[in-house]
Amino acid sequence: MLHTGVYIGTDFEMVVTERYIITYRRDKKLDLLESRLYQKNDQTFLCIGICQSSPMETKKFVLPICWKTAFASNGEAICKCKVLKSSRNASRDCPPVYEDIASEQMKRFIGAPFDLDIQPENCTVTFPDGAQYSFILDEEFTDETLHPTAPSICEDNIGECLRLWNMGVQEEYLPVNGASQLIGVTINTNKHMYIFELFEDSIYCRAARFAATNQGVIFNQNFRQGFEAYMIQDNMEAHLPLSYDESLFSSDSCRWNDRSVYWSLSSYNDQEIILHGCQGDIYHWKKPHR
């Protein structure tokens, strides 16, 4: 039986809830990074999204040469394959140029059942392509404990509210042709933040550790597919407590320290906590109604 929780290995990570599963992995044989989103259907989890990037990288800000994605949309699979055409002067404000390649090969993953061979006694997981990964159970929870009671905020418990208010599973929707369409899922646990999101030319799949204090949130990504794509060299690092330096918090902006970003507290009230994001972004972490 697959228990709800977080599973972590050197080249593998997975978060399991009662309704959704997200897997992240590095395939050294195929030289790619991959994330998959599964949704529960009756008693079975079915794949509704997949994102592959190649080559596999261990450092941020390295552009993938190839993207392959597929996502279930209104009962059909939308597939895309993109190959890097030009990376000259590429930056966050000047995205690289990718060329679309006609391909339906990713369609075979959509609707496929969750058929990973998991051996808890050996702590291994095997994917259908034969790739095998060792893992540990890093964090265990139930859907009930994943949605804790949201405490009222005061000056002394801002960090606790940042952690507890943000926990849970949230479906992400965007309006498409006058109707709301599921584009992904966010899962926040007591120690980790996960997201799988695909929509048209937007890709955002990532796994990260975080820590919350009365001064703000420290956020550290170990897996990312978006503007760049990477998985840190030893993903077991994601199992370790996240170290941080509270003196790095700024009163009016975010700050970076290696892969860790410090989102500093801007203000708060009974219904939301406002944080300074990067590039001028402002994050509103609202108190959930539970």
Side-chain angles (χ1 to χ4, degrees):
M1 180 179 179
L2 185 61
H3 295 286
T4 52
V6 170
Y7 301 80
I8 293 177
T10 298
D11 302 297
F12 169 77
E13 190 155 347
M14 176 171 66
V15 56
V16 179
T17 71
E18 291 181 6
R19 184 165 172 76
Y20 291 100
I21 297 174
I22 307 177
T23 62
Y24 306 90
R25 65 167 175 149
R26 172 176 28 234
D27 192 315
K28 294 180 178 178
K29 182 178 179 180
L30 298 178
D31 193 23
L32 60 80
L33 299 178
E34 178 192 272
S35 50
R36 297 192 195 190
L37 174 63
Y38 293 86
Q39 184 180 45
K40 193 169 187 179
N41 186 295
D42 293 329
Q43 299 302 311
T44 304
F45 283 92
L46 302 179
C47 181
I48 63 170
I50 183 170
C51 178
Q52 293 182 345
S53 57
S54 182
M56 59 183 191
E57 296 286 354
T58 60
K59 299 179 181 179
K60 59 185 179 179
F61 307 132
V62 178
L63 299 172
I65 294 175
C66 178
W67 288 101
K68 295 179 181 180
T69 65
F71 198 79
S73 175
N74 296 325
E76 62 177 304
I78 305 299
C79 304
K80 294 196 175 184
C81 180
K82 295 177 178 288
V83 176
L84 185 63
K85 184 176 181 180
S86 174
S87 60
R88 184 178 180 184
N89 300 322
S91 67
R92 292 184 182 277
D93 298 324
C94 182
V97 177
Y98 284 89
E99 181 180 8
D100 290 324
I101 304 296
S103 174
E104 296 291 306
Q105 68 175 125
M106 300 296 286
K107 185 175 290 188
R108 70 186 188 277
F109 293 106
I110 302 304
F114 183 85
D115 57 356
L116 306 190
D117 180 19
I118 297 176
Q119 301 294 329
E121 64 277 9
N122 298 321
C123 294
T124 60
V125 56
T126 305
F127 278 73
D129 58 15
Q132 188 175 80
Y133 305 89
S134 59
F135 66 84
I136 61 169
L137 175 61
D138 176 74
E139 186 179 357
E140 193 168 7
F141 49 73
T142 66
D143 270 30
E144 182 178 0
T145 61
L146 201 60
H147 297 80
T149 300
S152 298
I153 195 168
C154 66
E155 184 177 355
D156 295 331
N157 74 340
I158 296 172
E160 180 185 19
C161 290
L162 282 166
R163 180 173 56 84
L164 297 178
W165 287 12
N166 200 46
M167 286 177 63
V169 180
Q170 180 176 326
E171 297 173 331
E172 306 290 342
Y173 290 88
L174 279 181
V176 178
N177 299 324
S180 291
Q181 178 178 311
L182 178 72
I183 63 165
V185 174
T186 296
I187 302 171
N188 294 324
T189 75
N190 193 46
K191 299 167 55 179
H192 302 274
M193 293 181 179
Y194 298 101
I195 192 167
F196 184 104
E197 183 179 285
L198 294 180
F199 180 72
E200 293 187 354
D201 291 329
S202 171
I203 297 171
Y204 191 27
C205 303
R206 60 112 169 106
R209 289 176 296 166
F210 82 101
T213 78
N214 290 342
Q215 297 187 57
V217 172
I218 305 92
F219 174 79
N220 184 290
Q221 294 185 107
N222 52 290
F223 182 102
R224 178 182 173 89
Q225 289 176 310
F227 176 78
E228 66 275 311
Y230 64 88
M231 187 179 209
I232 60 175
Q233 187 166 358
D234 183 358
N235 195 62
M236 281 298 294
E237 181 183 322
H239 168 63
L240 302 175
L242 179 57
S243 61
Y244 55 89
D245 181 354
E246 289 195 71
S247 69
L248 293 179
F249 280 110
S250 170
S251 61
D252 57 5
S253 66
C254 82
R255 285 191 177 174
W256 284 88
N257 180 27
D258 192 19
R259 286 195 330 273
S260 290
V261 59
Y262 288 68
W263 296 331
S264 61
L265 177 69
S266 174
S267 63
Y268 67 90
N269 57 45
D270 291 339
Q271 296 303 315
E272 70 175 5
I273 305 171
I274 301 176
L275 301 169
H276 291 291
C278 297
Q279 286 83 47
D281 290 341
I282 298 295
Y283 299 149
H284 297 261
W285 286 23
K286 296 186 179 297
K287 182 178 181 179
H289 298 288
R290 294 172 176 155

